[in-house]
Amino acid sequence: MKTNKSATFPSNFHLDRQNSQPLYRQLYQSFRDAITQGVLRPGERIPSIRNLSSELGLARGTIETAIAILTAEGYLLTNGQAGTTVAPSLIPQTATVALQHEAPSAPSLPTAPLLFQMGVPALDAFPRKLWARLGARQLRKMQPVDMSYLDIQGSLSLRKSIASYLSVSRGIRCSAEQIIITAGYSGALDLVSRTLLQQDDSVWLEDPGYPPTKRLLMTRKIKLISVPVDQYGADVATGIALSPDARLAIVSPANQSPLGVSLTLERRIALLEWADREQSWILEDDYDAEFRYDAKPLPALKALDNRQRVLYAGTFSKVLFPALRLGYLVVPPDLLPRLLHTSQMHTPCPSLSQSIVADFMDSGHFSRHIKKMRGLYAIRRQWMIEALNKILPVEFSLLIPKGGMHLSIALPTTYSDRYIADEARKEAISLEPLSRWRSHTEGLPTIIFSFINITSQENAAVMAERLLSLLIKPPALD
Ligand SMILES: Cc1ncc(COP(=O)(O)O)c(C=O)c1O
């Protein structure tokens, strides 16, 4: 096998034998900094254990431990005889850090997923070869007519595939004519807010809730009404008491983001009755309902919408992959002309991706893929739960929702989840502080993290240790 570049020894390694941190951690940290800052480039070979040992005057075991953690965390790749290299898919995070200073309110997402980063599906398990085959098939089939402007609502064949998927999986009966293809949930929210909302309108938002929804509405000068979420989902009665005439309620009923609770049937009915009474709208954000581990996913709120007050937003970001930027809205028929009027002249979604997704769905791969991912996530989730249960101190509580792609850890009241998340970010680790998802509600400081990229039971043990070390890291002295 051809080796990449020659082994490099970064000059900025600082090992301090007086430091209370063990040497293997210091070495690990130095390597990580060199990788995340781009001093060591993706694909670059690192010196052998023997060379490192003589160069740094460290025991082989110390080096092996550091390298094992870096490999388990995905920073390094061991290639047998060919040596150890920096993982080729890693992208240095320096640019991300710089951007964050410019736009603190909208944290930039790195292009390569960080450790524990929420919301990214298992990209390692995506059937890329199959996808490429379907892509080639769609390109070969392309006729001149397919190269013109697309239907403003998006590809009809994709809309038909979505309509039949929704009737089987989410209990929604709708026709392809009621569907608009959007650039993900973000595109759907943008379209809905531009069509239905005017400055100073009130909108109910779940608290805690998905920060990008709030950010987008804030740019529109909308009055945001914080509706607390408890174990039964969004507290509809409080929403009604606070703002009975809100124009829109945005909810995630299947798997509330981020608490993972489901909206009870009683509250679903109360919400639908309120919308009907006030002639208000409900936007259902059904972003990852497919991933439920204890039972079949609950039907969507839209399945109960006899009065046609619900706009249902689905996305391919979790069930396929986020770079697709594809999602859809199922809308009440009466509202369709208004939404289409607001849309730009043509769909913003490229036709090739729409036809590949339609092909993927029609040939049965979509439901197989979801089933496979649900099984895989259940295993990865269990590995992480077991690993954490072995080491978490009693004062930390592991919170396990019934579905979704993340877990949470509630911390003692004296901890700051934001501080922990900020410190973790410096090490290119993505932990979400629940307090940042809150508007007015209060609760224990809590860290939210994804388990999706855990690759084995051994990896889970290393990752759990890594997580714990971040949680119990003492605050920096000023
Ligand atoms: C609550 C919630 N809604 C929607 C989405 C998906 O957004 P998009 O389809 O724009 O990628 C996410 C992604 O993380 C999410 O967490």
Side-chain angles (χ1 to χ4, degrees):
M1 185 181 162
K2 223 171 125 206
T3 48
N4 305 290
K5 294 172 201 151
S6 58
T8 322
F9 191 82
S11 54
N12 63 337
F13 274 26
H14 302 295
L15 300 178
D16 176 2
R17 283 163 207 280
Q18 313 305 324
N19 193 313
S20 59
Q21 270 218 334
L23 285 166
Y24 82 87
R25 275 219 78 79
Q26 294 185 44
L27 181 61
Y28 157 83
Q29 188 68 50
S30 300
F31 262 116
R32 263 237 342 247
D33 290 349
I35 294 169
T36 54
Q37 290 159 12
V39 177
L40 282 173
R41 310 289 310 168
E44 205 163 314
R45 197 146 71 84
I46 64 156
S48 65
I49 292 182
R50 190 152 52 88
N51 280 353
L52 280 169
S53 163
S54 72
E55 194 80 40
L56 300 169
L58 292 176
R60 281 181 72 98
T62 306
I63 296 162
E64 278 164 2
T65 310
I67 288 184
I69 302 176
L70 290 157
T71 309
E73 291 184 356
Y75 289 98
L76 294 181
L77 214 64
T78 43
N79 309 310
Q81 295 283 49
T84 300
T85 55
V86 178
S89 56
L90 278 180
I91 293 182
Q93 305 296 332
T94 351
T96 310
V97 173
L99 250 175
Q100 262 190 324
H101 288 298
E102 285 155 28
S105 56
S108 60
L109 285 176
T111 44
L114 298 180
L115 288 179
F116 298 119
Q117 185 177 318
M118 278 176 77
V120 185
L123 304 176
D124 59 324
F126 189 77
R128 291 201 310 276
K129 277 196 188 137
L130 168 66
W131 191 258
R133 211 168 61 232
L134 299 185
R137 178 153 90 186
Q138 290 306 319
L139 278 172
R140 278 197 303 273
K141 267 180 30 189
M142 204 149 102
Q143 296 299 313
V145 65
D146 301 318
M147 295 158 75
S148 180
Y149 288 106
L150 257 192
D151 187 328
I152 186 170
Q153 275 182 255
S155 132
L156 179 61
S157 61
L158 177 57
R159 286 186 283 124
K160 283 184 177 161
S161 318
I162 292 171
S164 34
Y165 166 71
L166 290 178
S167 82
V168 176
S169 297
R170 309 296 298 120
I172 297 173
R173 292 219 315 275
C174 68
S175 69
E177 284 66 41
Q178 273 175 269
I179 297 179
I180 304 175
I181 305 295
T182 60
Y185 162 76
S186 344
L189 174 65
D190 184 60
L191 178 60
V192 170
S193 64
R194 280 190 294 127
T195 310
L196 299 183
L197 303 178
Q198 291 180 350
Q199 192 169 330
D200 294 329
D201 276 346
S202 299
V203 174
W204 296 4
L205 284 190
E206 293 171 331
D207 184 2
Y210 185 50
T213 301
K214 182 172 167 185
R215 278 203 296 272
L216 186 134
L217 295 179
M218 282 172 88
T219 65
R220 299 271 147 81
K221 303 202 168 45
I222 303 295
K223 272 193 219 141
L224 301 180
I225 310 297
S226 141
V227 177
V229 178
D230 58 24
Q231 71 266 43
Y232 308 114
D235 182 352
V236 177
T238 301
I240 296 174
L242 290 174
S243 177
D245 56 355
R247 188 92 190 98
L248 176 72
I250 305 182
V251 285
S252 47
N255 181 30
Q256 199 275 333
S257 171
L259 298 185
V261 290
S262 312
L263 192 64
T264 56
L265 183 61
E266 203 181 346
R267 287 193 181 176
R268 286 175 190 232
I269 292 168
L271 182 62
L272 292 166
E273 282 176 352
W274 161 78
D276 186 35
R277 201 167 54 243
E278 300 294 332
Q279 290 297 286
S280 302
W281 300 106
I282 300 165
L283 176 61
E284 176 173 19
D285 176 5
D286 203 33
Y287 63 108
D288 76 349
E290 289 82 358
F291 301 123
R292 200 172 157 114
Y293 308 106
D294 63 335
K296 266 175 84 80
L298 297 174
L301 174 70
K302 179 75 185 158
L304 298 174
D305 182 29
N306 300 329
R307 302 300 180 99
Q308 295 292 340
R309 304 310 303 170
V310 178
L311 295 93
Y312 171 93
T315 176
F316 290 106
S317 288
K318 314 290 155 182
V319 282
L320 292 177
F321 55 94
L324 263 179
R325 303 312 309 134
L326 275 186
Y328 46 92
L329 263 177
V330 181
V331 304
D334 290 352
L335 209 48
L336 187 67
R338 281 179 66 193
L339 287 159
L340 293 182
H341 184 74
T342 319
S343 307
Q344 286 142 15
M345 282 161 65
H346 309 287
T347 170
C349 308
S351 75
L352 181 60
S353 349
Q354 295 191 52
S355 20
I356 303 176
V357 176
D359 197 356
F360 196 76
M361 293 180 98
D362 295 344
S363 41
H365 298 301
F366 187 61
S367 38
R368 273 198 293 279
H369 178 64
I370 292 176
K371 196 165 163 221
K372 196 167 150 206
M373 289 305 101
R374 196 184 296 128
L376 181 72
Y377 294 177
I379 293 170
R380 292 183 171 185
R381 180 174 181 266
Q382 194 52 33
W383 282 337
M384 196 61 191
I385 293 171
E386 282 168 12
L388 282 168
N389 277 340
K390 279 190 198 143
I391 60 166
L392 268 191
V394 284
E395 63 272 26
F396 293 2
S397 327
L398 180 60
L399 310 174
I400 308 172
K402 292 205 163 93
M405 294 162 59
H406 60 259
L407 298 167
S408 310
I409 296 177
L411 310 165
T413 43
T414 50
Y415 283 56
S416 159
D417 52 8
R418 292 180 191 222
Y419 175 84
I420 290 171
D422 290 345
E423 288 297 298
R425 192 56 188 256
K426 289 181 193 158
E427 302 188 17
I429 290 181
S430 172
L431 304 178
E432 284 290 330
L434 178 59
S435 64
R436 268 199 200 124
W437 292 53
R438 294 187 183 279
S439 296
H440 298 293
T441 54
E442 287 183 358
L444 285 176
T446 299
I447 283 295
I448 318 169
F449 58 97
S450 164
F451 56 81
I452 292 300
N453 291 307
I454 299 297
T455 50
S456 64
Q457 208 160 9
E458 296 69 42
N459 176 248
V462 174
M463 298 298 269
E465 289 283 357
R466 180 92 195 89
L467 185 56
L468 183 62
S469 73
L470 291 162
L471 300 185
I472 58 180
K473 199 169 156 182
L477 298 172
D478 286 332

